[in-house]
């Protein structure tokens, strides 16, 4: 410390002031240091608390997400189990329904045959009784009438067969056509395993997809001459085609191919083919287009004017079978439930391909060239017939399941069912198009009303039943004055008498009138009481006919069977027509 004895008061004051400043600075620095330490500690504490809070919240969120995922997965599994059980029940119900329909159809055939035999017996008995009473028929005459009965039985059986001669519902409706010879590449049902149907449908859909047939009515195209010339430049032998199939060389770019990616952009949004392509995996679609490009083609199109074994058609077959195998592995057609074991049977796949392309589609191709539009017209007729058949089956199943009398079921056949057409104005109900019902001219107004009541009951029952869904098309009677007559002119045979409109029935020729009816009555006097379980509906068929036959039969010109049989015995003398020479110079 400096000697302060010699310092002046001013110096002493300055010295004290300096010392005070130093102490003040030291204290200030100490305070700042303490404040900094406190701030740093507080900041560390806050950061630690924030980190702990974040970690805790993150764990909570992860736990909640995991719990939600497990709950959702459990709900999905429960829903999946419910859907599987529902599908199993629906399949079981469908099988039961199909068996019942088949049983009813067989029973109906049996009853028709039995009724025919009874009529024949009554006719024969009446003939013999008449011969004995009047004494006009000797033994030869009786034998002649018996022979006529045999002829009528054969004719009746033939007509019963005609009733059952339904058009085939399968797409390959010509496959079992028996004209005395087997056509080239044709496979009949007996040639195929019983479990191959799904596999065959999948291959047919695959071929339609490759061929870009947007609907079943599309006709096979013919490849352009440029495509054939370009192919023939690259391939001159079968070995060159086979070698190209195993190489990775592309003759044209994939982007030039009008194949799967081209189809996926199509505006045919309702086409099953387009929907199938849009559901196809990108790898599968690219593989198909690559296989087509591999042979220098811009689209897949067999040439049905060439032999099936030509180099070009061999290449198309290689493309189709290879891509179909890959589609099977990728389960592209799983909805058709194909038996995938046939993927390993190359010979069967080749035979199926040749049947589909070079028999079925070739036949359609040739028929369309000979008579343009005839194939599509036939397809339309088959489609309409199948719709009528499905509706008749649904009506029959409803009547059987609900225990309604057989006389009602006798009214329901495919030929007694009206066809329909879509409303030309495009009217829709619930998003579904309305179809106007066409008129069957032979059918009485009461039977038509009965069918309307029946359909209303079926729809009402389906909508109330939690295990059922109403999926049938919307069918309505057309506006007044816009009715159209059904194009299917063939009338059903062996029907209850009151099925027919009296005026229409009475205009028929006697022989047809005799075959058309079974001398039974089906409808209540008040048709509006139908399907209500009233007392008359509890009567047996025979009791019901006995009760109302007199009032009903009086309206119809029913044919005396004896007259018809005796008329069959008369020979027609064609000489009355005269000679062809008589009119030669007229």
């Amino acid at each position: 410390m400096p000697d302060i004895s010699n310092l002046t008061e001013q110096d002493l004051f300055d010295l004290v002031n300096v010392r005070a400043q130093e102490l003040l600075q030291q204290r200030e620095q100490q305070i700042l240091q303490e404040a900094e330490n406190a701030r740093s500690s507080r900041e560390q504490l806050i950061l630690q608390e924030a980190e702990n809070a974040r970690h805790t919240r993150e764990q909570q969120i992860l736990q909640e997400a995991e719990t939600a995922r497990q709950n959702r997965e459990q709900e999905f599994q429960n829903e999946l189990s419910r859907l599987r059980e529902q599908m199993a029940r629906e399949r079981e119900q469908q099988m039961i329904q199909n068996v019942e329909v088949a049983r009813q159809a067989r029973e109906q055939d049996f009853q028709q045959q039995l009724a025919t035999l009874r009529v024949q017996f009554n006719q024969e008995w009446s003939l013999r009784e008449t011969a004995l009473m009047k004494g006009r028929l000797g033994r030869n005459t009786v034998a002649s009438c018996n022979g006529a009965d045999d002829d009528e039985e054969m004719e009746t059986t033939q007509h019963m067969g005609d009733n059952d001669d339904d058009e085939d519902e399968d797409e390959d409706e010509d496959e079992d056509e028996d004209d005395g010879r087997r056509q080239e590449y044709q496979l009949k049902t007996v040639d195929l395993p019983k479990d191959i149907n799904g596999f065959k449908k999948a291959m047919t859909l695959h071929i339609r997809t490759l061929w870009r047939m947007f609907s079943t009515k599309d006709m096979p195209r013919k490849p352009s001459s440029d495509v054939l010339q370009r192919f023939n430049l690259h391939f001159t032998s079968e070995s060159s085609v086979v070698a190209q199939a195993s190489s990775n060389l592309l003759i044209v770019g994939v982007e030039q191919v009008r194949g799967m990616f081209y189809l996926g952009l199509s505006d045919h949004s309702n086409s099953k083919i387009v929907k199938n392509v849009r559901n196809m995996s990108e790898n599968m679609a690219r593989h198909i287009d690559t296989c087509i490009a591999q042979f220098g083609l811009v689209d897949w199109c067999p040439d049905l004017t060439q032999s099936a074994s030509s180099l070009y058609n061999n290449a198309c077959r290689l493309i189709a079978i290879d891509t179909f195998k890959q589609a099977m592995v990728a389960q592209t057609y799983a909805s058709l439930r194909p038996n995938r074991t046939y993927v390993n049977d190359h010979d069967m796949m080749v035979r199926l391909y040749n049947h589909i392309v070079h028999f079925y589609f070739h036949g359609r191709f040739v028929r369309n060239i000979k008579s343009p539009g005839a194939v599509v017209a036939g397809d339309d007729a088959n489609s309409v017939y199948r719709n009528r058949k499905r509706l008749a089956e649904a009506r029959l199943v409803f009547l059987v399941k609900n225990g309604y009398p057989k006389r009602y079921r006798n009214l329901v056949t495919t030929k007694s069912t009206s066809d329909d057409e879509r409303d030309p104005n495009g009217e829709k109900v619930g998003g579904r198009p309305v179809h106007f019902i066409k008129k069957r001219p032979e059918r009485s107004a009461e039977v038509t009303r009965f069918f309307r009541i029946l359909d209303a009951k079926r729809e009402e029952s389906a909508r109330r039943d939690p295990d059922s869904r109403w999926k049938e098309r919307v069918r309505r009677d057309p506006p007044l004055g816009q009715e159209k007559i059904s194009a299917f002119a063939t009338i059903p045979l062996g029907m209850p008498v009151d099925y027919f409109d009296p005026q229409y029935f009475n205009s028929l020729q006697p022989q047809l009138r005799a075959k058309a009816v079974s001398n039974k009555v089906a409808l209540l006097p008040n048709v509006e009481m139908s399907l209500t379980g009233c007392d008359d509906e509890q009567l047996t068929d025979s009791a019901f006919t006995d009760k109302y036959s007199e009032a009903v039969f009086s309206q119809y010109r029913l044919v005396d069977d004896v007259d018809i049989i005796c008329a069959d015995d008369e020979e027609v003398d064609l000489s009355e027509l005269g000679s062809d020479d008589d009119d030669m110079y007229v």
Side-chain angles (χ1 to χ4, degrees):
M1 176 178 293
D3 186 11
I4 61 173
S5 59
N6 297 325
L7 296 178
T8 64
E9 182 179 352
Q10 182 63 39
D11 291 335
L12 183 60
F13 177 79
D14 292 338
L15 181 61
V16 171
N17 190 34
V18 170
R19 182 59 179 166
Q21 288 293 330
E22 291 176 354
L23 292 173
L24 182 62
Q25 290 177 358
Q26 290 176 0
R27 181 58 180 166
E28 183 177 353
Q29 290 178 357
Q30 183 181 1
I31 292 172
L32 290 174
Q33 184 63 39
E34 292 174 353
E36 179 63 24
N37 291 339
R39 185 195 63 77
S40 178
S41 299
R42 181 60 179 167
E43 183 176 347
Q44 289 296 328
L45 180 60
I46 292 173
L47 289 175
Q48 184 63 39
E49 291 176 350
E51 178 63 21
N52 292 340
R54 184 194 65 78
H55 181 71
T56 301
R57 182 57 180 163
E58 182 177 348
Q59 291 296 324
Q60 183 182 0
I61 291 175
L62 289 175
Q63 183 63 33
E64 292 175 353
E66 178 64 17
T67 302
R69 185 192 66 79
Q70 292 178 355
N71 292 339
R72 183 58 181 165
E73 183 175 353
Q74 184 62 39
E75 292 175 359
F76 173 76
Q77 291 296 334
N78 293 339
E79 181 66 15
L80 184 59
S81 299
R82 188 188 67 79
L83 290 176
R84 284 174 175 170
E85 292 175 359
Q86 181 178 350
M87 290 176 64
R89 288 197 304 270
E90 290 178 352
R91 285 196 297 270
E92 182 179 359
Q93 292 175 356
Q94 184 64 37
M95 291 177 62
I96 294 174
Q97 177 178 334
N98 291 341
V99 170
E100 182 63 22
V101 169
R103 187 188 68 79
Q104 291 296 327
R106 288 195 297 270
E107 181 181 349
Q108 185 172 3
D109 290 342
F110 172 77
Q111 292 295 337
Q112 289 178 348
Q113 293 175 9
L114 183 60
T116 302
L117 292 175
R118 284 174 175 170
V119 169
Q120 292 169 359
F121 175 80
N122 292 333
Q123 291 170 348
E124 183 177 352
W125 179 260
S126 178
L127 280 174
R128 291 178 177 178
E129 187 179 35
T130 303
L132 290 172
M133 291 179 62
K134 296 186 177 181
R136 295 186 302 177
L137 297 177
R139 180 171 301 180
N140 294 335
T141 306
V142 173
S144 175
C145 287
N146 289 340
D149 287 346
D150 293 338
D151 292 339
E152 182 172 342
E153 179 177 358
M154 292 178 61
E155 183 177 359
T156 304
T157 305
Q158 178 65 41
H159 283 290
M160 289 175 64
D162 292 343
N163 265 338
D164 295 332
D165 188 17
D166 299 337
E167 292 114 312
D168 189 19
E169 290 190 21
D170 187 72
E171 178 179 76
D172 298 355
E173 61 187 29
D174 298 325
E175 71 178 22
D176 287 327
E177 185 177 310
D178 189 3
D179 58 358
R181 60 183 177 84
R182 182 184 295 272
Q183 300 184 43
E184 190 175 16
Y185 304 116
Q186 181 183 12
L187 291 178
K188 297 190 177 184
T189 301
V190 295
D191 303 322
L192 298 172
K194 293 181 180 180
D195 60 348
I196 203 173
N197 191 45
F199 189 84
K200 177 185 171 187
K201 288 182 178 180
M203 179 176 279
T204 303
L205 178 57
H206 187 73
I207 289 172
R208 285 190 181 278
T209 302
L210 292 176
W211 225 332
R212 302 204 314 275
M213 293 185 183
F214 294 109
S215 76
T216 56
K217 298 179 183 179
D218 286 352
M219 291 295 108
R221 306 186 312 277
K222 181 181 178 181
S224 67
S225 57
D226 293 340
V227 169
L228 297 176
Q229 290 175 4
R230 184 166 59 249
F231 179 86
N232 292 332
L233 289 175
H234 287 92
F235 303 99
T236 57
S237 65
E238 186 174 351
S239 59
S240 63
V241 173
V242 175
Q244 182 64 18
S246 58
S247 72
N248 295 322
L249 177 64
L250 301 183
I251 298 178
V252 298
V254 176
E255 67 279 356
Q256 299 180 45
V257 175
R258 294 190 295 272
M260 300 305 99
F261 286 99
Y262 179 84
L263 264 177
L265 301 175
S266 171
D267 56 358
H268 293 76
S269 58
N270 292 327
S271 169
K272 184 177 182 180
I273 303 300
V274 175
K275 292 178 181 178
N276 177 57
V277 171
R278 289 175 180 172
N279 293 329
M280 187 181 293
S281 69
E282 183 175 348
N283 290 338
M284 187 68 238
R286 184 168 296 279
H287 174 72
I288 293 175
D289 290 353
T290 300
C291 288
I292 296 174
Q294 196 172 358
F295 286 91
L297 307 178
V298 294
D299 62 359
W300 187 88
C301 184
D303 188 357
L304 299 181
T305 63
Q306 295 186 27
S307 166
S309 58
S310 68
L311 294 182
Y312 176 80
N313 283 332
N314 277 341
C316 290
R317 181 167 51 250
L318 286 172
I319 294 171
I321 292 180
D322 177 72
T323 55
F324 181 65
K325 287 182 178 180
Q326 295 300 320
M328 286 290 97
V329 173
Q331 297 191 6
T332 303
Y333 305 110
S335 62
L336 297 176
R337 299 181 181 177
N339 186 342
R340 292 194 291 167
T341 59
Y342 291 107
V343 171
N344 301 319
D345 191 342
H346 183 75
D347 179 65
M348 177 59 74
M349 294 182 68
V350 171
R351 292 172 63 202
L352 270 180
Y353 174 88
N354 286 337
H355 169 82
I356 295 169
V357 174
H358 295 292
F359 168 68
Y360 176 69
F361 282 119
H362 177 268
R364 291 170 64 84
F365 178 78
V366 171
R367 289 198 301 272
N368 191 62
I369 290 178
K370 291 181 178 179
S371 181
V375 176
V376 174
D379 289 345
D380 289 338
N382 287 342
S383 176
V384 172
Y385 185 88
R386 288 193 293 270
N387 288 336
R388 295 168 65 203
K389 185 176 181 181
R390 279 193 292 267
L391 178 56
E393 289 174 350
R395 287 170 172 172
L396 187 60
V397 167
F398 179 85
L399 292 172
V400 170
K401 285 187 174 182
N402 289 280
Y404 286 111
K406 190 175 185 300
R407 56 183 174 273
Y408 283 168
R409 306 200 296 269
N410 291 338
L411 294 170
V412 182
T413 69
T414 302
K415 290 185 178 181
S416 68
T417 304
S418 299
D419 52 318
D420 53 47
E421 66 178 2
R422 184 172 293 190
D423 176 15
N425 296 325
E427 180 184 354
K428 293 186 177 181
V429 174
R432 296 189 300 164
V434 171
H435 291 77
F436 286 154
I437 304 172
K438 294 185 177 181
K439 180 180 179 181
R440 291 211 59 80
E442 85 282 357
R443 201 167 68 188
S444 68
E446 290 75 18
V447 172
T448 298
R449 179 57 189 154
F450 171 79
F451 282 144
R452 299 297 178 269
I453 295 173
L454 172 58
D455 290 340
K457 295 284 187 181
R458 291 193 305 114
E459 181 175 2
E460 178 185 32
S461 178
R463 296 192 183 281
R464 290 180 175 178
D465 187 347
D467 295 329
S468 300
R469 280 179 52 199
W470 182 256
K471 298 181 290 186
E472 295 186 17
R473 62 171 61 186
V474 180
R475 301 177 87 238
R476 297 284 187 271
D477 287 315
L480 190 63
Q482 298 183 23
E483 299 90 347
K484 291 187 177 180
I485 303 298
S486 171
F488 296 88
T490 304
I491 65 173
L493 302 180
M495 302 296 288
V497 174
D498 49 353
Y499 167 82
F500 289 95
D501 174 77
Q503 184 175 359
Y504 181 96
F505 178 85
N506 294 337
S507 69
L508 299 176
Q509 293 302 311
Q511 188 178 28
L512 183 54
R513 295 205 306 272
K515 293 187 296 183
V517 295
S518 61
N519 291 341
K520 294 181 181 179
V521 179
L523 294 179
L524 296 168
N526 181 6
V527 72
E528 298 298 330
M529 294 296 295
S530 300
L531 308 177
T532 62
C534 62
D535 292 342
D536 276 347
E537 285 187 335
Q538 311 307 316
L539 296 175
T540 64
D541 291 346
S542 58
F544 186 85
T545 297
D546 291 342
K547 183 176 181 179
Y548 292 110
S549 59
E550 183 177 355
V552 172
F553 289 177
S554 63
Q555 305 175 59
Y556 296 86
R557 293 170 55 197
L558 299 177
V559 178
D560 188 338
D561 296 327
V562 175
D563 292 341
I564 292 294
I565 292 177
C566 290
D568 288 341
D569 293 337
E570 298 181 6
E571 295 184 358
V572 179
D573 185 5
L574 298 181
S575 63
E576 296 177 3
L577 297 176
S579 170
D580 292 341
D581 297 336
D582 295 343
D583 295 330
M584 185 173 297
Y585 300 106
V586 175

